[in-house]
Amino acid sequence: EHFPGRSHQKLYLQTGSSGLAYEAKFSFEDRQFSILFNENGQWIDTEKEIRKDELPLFVSENMKLTLVQHYDKYIFKRIQEQETVNGIRYEIELKGKSKGKMTLYEYLFDSKGYYIRHETIIIENYTNEF
């Protein structure tokens, strides 16, 4: 109800170590959104895709302090501003190069750009061949 006129809506059921969750992905006002609900339908978070130049300068600088410690080079692939009951966070998908190896990662930073956690993104190839 907070996003009248949204388009391209898709609904997903997620299963994982945290249990079941429902995710709605859609476009609204020329932006990509994702809203996550727990298995009881309670809101968990809303993610809005943003551009790098929309990050507050102090957030961007604090992120950089973390990332330059780990990578020779890195490129932001996607940035999402995440609204939760605890406030704003930033989820960053990036390609990082370290020791000659390029890998895809997902980072989570708090509202000031301070590191919370990260994980390696593994892309599995599935085929229908046996």
Side-chain angles (χ1 to χ4, degrees):
E1 69 186 43
H2 296 285
F3 301 93
R6 68 192 174 280
S7 62
H8 307 294
Q9 180 171 301
K10 294 182 180 180
L11 302 173
Y12 299 91
L13 173 63
Q14 295 182 347
T15 57
S17 59
S18 306
L20 291 175
Y22 299 97
E23 184 175 26
K25 292 186 176 194
F26 55 89
S27 298
F28 180 71
E29 296 179 349
D30 295 324
R31 301 224 184 229
Q32 296 301 310
F33 283 81
S34 171
I35 302 179
L36 193 63
F37 300 91
N38 70 14
E39 61 186 290
N40 298 319
Q42 295 172 317
W43 175 75
I44 297 172
D45 68 38
T46 300
E47 295 177 340
K48 172 177 70 172
E49 204 162 302
I50 63 172
R51 296 182 319 270
K52 187 177 179 183
D53 64 355
E54 293 178 292
L55 286 170
L57 184 58
F58 68 94
V59 169
S60 184
E61 290 298 318
N62 287 336
M63 288 176 177
K64 184 178 178 180
L65 290 173
T66 297
L67 298 173
V68 297
Q69 294 176 31
H70 299 281
Y71 307 108
D72 303 322
K73 266 173 96 171
Y74 61 89
I75 300 167
F76 286 0
K77 301 303 283 178
R78 183 171 61 168
I79 303 170
Q80 292 180 314
E81 184 179 85
Q82 187 181 74
E83 180 184 348
T84 71
V85 292
N86 298 319
I88 299 295
R89 300 188 304 189
Y90 296 96
E91 189 176 276
I92 310 294
E93 190 176 294
L94 64 88
K95 274 189 176 181
K97 184 176 183 179
S98 179
K99 299 178 185 170
K101 184 178 178 188
M102 187 72 82
T103 307
L104 195 59
Y105 298 94
E106 183 177 276
Y107 273 78
L108 188 62
F109 295 92
D110 70 12
S111 63
K112 295 183 175 133
Y114 293 118
Y115 173 82
I116 297 174
R117 69 176 179 271
H118 76 280
E119 58 187 42
T120 303
I121 298 174
I122 299 170
I123 300 172
E124 297 181 12
N125 293 325
Y126 293 100
T127 68
N128 60 357
E129 298 176 0
F130 292 94

